[in-house]
Amino acid sequence: MFKTSSDAFRIAIARVIAAQLAEVGIAVEIRSFEFATFFADVKRGAYQLASMQTTDITEPDFYFMYFHSSWIPAAPRFEGFNRWRYRSAVVDRLTAEGRQELDRARRPGDLRRGPAQVAEDVPIVPLWHEDNVVLSNRAVHGYTLTPNARLTGLRQLTKLR
């Protein structure tokens, strides 16, 4: 069963995924729920297949929260971010080490092995990342387009008079 929220866009994504899986002989039943119910089920691990939107995983701390086994949601609060219940001693060690060094240039060289191990194990399947497209006129200066599609580049924005 593929659980999703009742949002029309999320249901459409689930239908596309179910159709693609059907092409290789995997039958998928889609069930949509209002978001609070859907999210509570995901946090409890009460799903077989689900899709969710999440933040960019760009820093060691994000890898720690999303893939370290200590962040698997558990009773009574189910607040952890490792909702796919991924466990890897290698990733646990590397993400714990990586978040100790704030200076990017001094982070351990094998820190790249954590994301590489996650990619090899495939606990999640990233589907896409939204693009950030900017249109501007000549009077606007200082905007910086960020690789993670966030609008933090607006901080330095100025407009000529």
Side-chain angles (χ1 to χ4, degrees):
M1 176 186 6
F2 189 128
K3 283 190 178 181
T4 188
S5 72
S6 57
D7 177 81
F9 180 65
R10 301 297 167 199
I11 292 171
I13 290 169
R15 287 180 179 152
V16 168
I17 292 170
Q20 291 173 336
L21 290 171
E23 289 177 12
V24 295
I26 301 171
V28 175
E29 174 189 355
I30 299 169
R31 288 230 180 127
S32 63
F33 300 87
E34 58 88 25
F35 185 77
T37 301
F38 163 72
F39 194 49
D41 283 353
V42 168
K43 290 193 292 187
R44 282 196 328 272
Y47 66 93
Q48 293 172 316
L49 185 62
S51 62
M52 291 194 64
Q53 180 177 348
T54 190
T55 190
D56 333 318
I57 304 176
T58 56
E59 284 292 321
D61 228 31
F62 287 134
Y63 267 92
F64 183 82
M65 290 181 355
Y66 280 89
F67 298 109
H68 194 280
S69 61
S70 69
W71 278 84
I72 294 173
R77 294 183 44 221
F78 295 100
E79 295 299 322
F81 288 98
N82 184 348
R83 298 178 186 116
W84 25 89
R85 289 153 171 74
Y86 173 69
R87 293 177 192 276
S88 165
V90 171
V91 172
D92 282 357
R93 180 180 56 78
L94 292 172
T95 57
E97 288 173 3
R99 67 193 307 246
Q100 300 301 313
E101 179 57 62
L102 298 178
D103 182 351
R104 288 177 185 231
R106 294 180 53 195
R107 287 187 183 146
D110 67 347
L111 182 59
R112 291 180 297 276
R113 287 185 39 230
Q117 185 67 51
V118 170
E120 183 177 319
D121 294 343
V122 196
I124 61 172
V125 178
L127 297 177
W128 74 86
H129 187 279
E130 296 175 1
D131 287 333
N132 191 2
V133 178
V134 176
L135 300 174
S136 181
N137 69 33
R138 287 180 240 176
V140 176
H141 292 274
Y143 181 79
T144 305
L145 183 62
T146 60
N148 63 1
R150 298 288 182 241
L151 298 176
T152 55
L154 292 172
R155 287 187 212 146
Q156 306 300 321
L157 188 71
T158 59
K159 182 178 179 189
L160 299 178
R161 295 178 193 231

